[in-house]
Amino acid sequence: MKAIVDCNSFYCSCERVFQPRLNGQPVVVLSNNDGCIISRTDEAKKLGAGMGEPYFKTKDVIEANQITVFSSNYNLYGDMSRRVMDTLKYLVGANSVEVYSVDEAFLDLKHFNNNVFDFAMSIRKTVEQWTGIAVSVGVAPTKTLAKLANSIAKNDKLATQCVTVLNSTEHIIEALKRTNVGDLWGVGKQFAHKLTSLGIIKAWDLYNLSEEWVRRNLGGVIGVRLLKELHGEESIFMDKELINKKMITTTRMFGSPVTELNDVKEALATYTARAAEKLRRQHSAASVINVFVVPKDENKSHSFSHTPAIGAHFILPSPTVLTQELIKPAMRMAESIYQPGKAYKKAGVILSGLVPDTCIQSNLFENSSKSVGRFLMEMMDNINFSMRNDIVKFASTGTKRNWKMRQEFHSPRYTTRWEDLHKVG
């Protein structure tokens, strides 16, 4: 059996842990720059706060119904996510947990075939007791069916007690008959549209198709894999935890449109420094650096469209972990992609071509200053980690940073800042 543990309204739940007065009250969390609703409680959903809706469009509904609003607090959410995942690893073993996203994890329950429902209920209660985060648990023979079980558990929390187990053919068939094919895990909008155009409306309709027909008409191996999963045959296997990333990205929206080259350079230098910290944290070195900016859309129509990014890349002479060696090409590229008179709403840095920092090829004609540079980076990281708020930084990252994201409803970073520690009494 496979299980998936999914945190209920995760970002909102994190805020409620430290403000229990909000339990049972409507809460929403906004995306970067206080743009759109990215998390909402059931109470807020019932009042009309739509997922993904721009804040300015739902502001009247929010104010009229006294919905509590928070800006994204990723320091808090990341730490609470770690606590949830550590709890799951303690309960079932680290090798039986696949962290799927910040608020979801698959569990391999092959050693817990007896009383699966009781064990799933125990997982739910333990996670909530140890971390304060409410979760829903879906259990079934495959990942796809486990996601379906989890969806059933979340849609009717009162009846299911946030736990659903599909451990028999009868239970699976019943669930498939009442599930739209577009609600299956792995079925996107375009795929769902294709299925419905072929008369495949419910998951049960897909279940009854032949493997040969699915292979010919539904994407070959991908379609067959989905069909087998619905029949309880494991085809999407547990993945090992990816400890080191293959690419590191730091990108942010500006608090307001930026027009000056100096502001663009400051932002890109800041994001490069952040990306370099992440690079050193996983003991890697970068071979390629990409920078990009996104112009503000000048289209005045109400139709939404993504403005294409403008970017450039630079292949480094040798892989590096030194922030200054990454900032220099980033500043040159910033000058090359900047266009006077344009307003920019977003910028970002991507480090790729990552290699272990212990495997960097030395240069015979290079002096030994790089070892001093590494020591300097370690000192900077240690100081900034202990003191926070970029106490030590490169001058190119700026001091005022007027381009920073807008976060008008930011809560304290209760678990990662001494000055923000929660006060009791």
Side-chain angles (χ1 to χ4, degrees), residues 245-249 272 275-280 282-290 314-323 325-327 329 349-361 370 374:
K245 297 179 180 179
K246 297 181 179 179
M247 182 180 293
I248 292 176
T249 302
T272 301
E277 288 177 4
K278 298 176 186 177
L279 188 71
R280 293 189 289 270
Q282 70 172 39
H283 305 291
S284 296
S287 303
V288 182
I289 177 171
N290 294 64
F314 180 78
I315 301 174
L316 298 158
S318 62
T320 184
V321 298
L322 305 184
T323 301
E325 292 187 356
L326 294 167
I327 286 180
V349 174
I350 304 171
L351 302 181
S352 57
L354 306 190
V355 299
D357 63 358
T358 55
C359 301
I360 301 175
Q361 182 68 44
K370 277 204 171 186
R374 286 194 178 204

Side-chain angles (χ1 to χ4, degrees), residues 213-246:
W213 190 92
V214 169
R215 189 184 302 278
R216 286 198 318 268
N217 297 279
L218 300 180
V221 174
I222 295 175
V224 171
R225 188 183 299 159
L226 175 59
L227 180 65
K228 288 183 175 180
E229 286 267 317
L230 295 182
H231 280 266
E233 182 180 341
E234 186 179 8
S235 297
I236 304 175
F237 301 97
M238 297 284 288
D239 289 332
K240 293 182 178 179
E241 184 177 0
L242 182 62
I243 298 175
N244 288 340
K245 297 179 180 179
K246 297 181 179 179

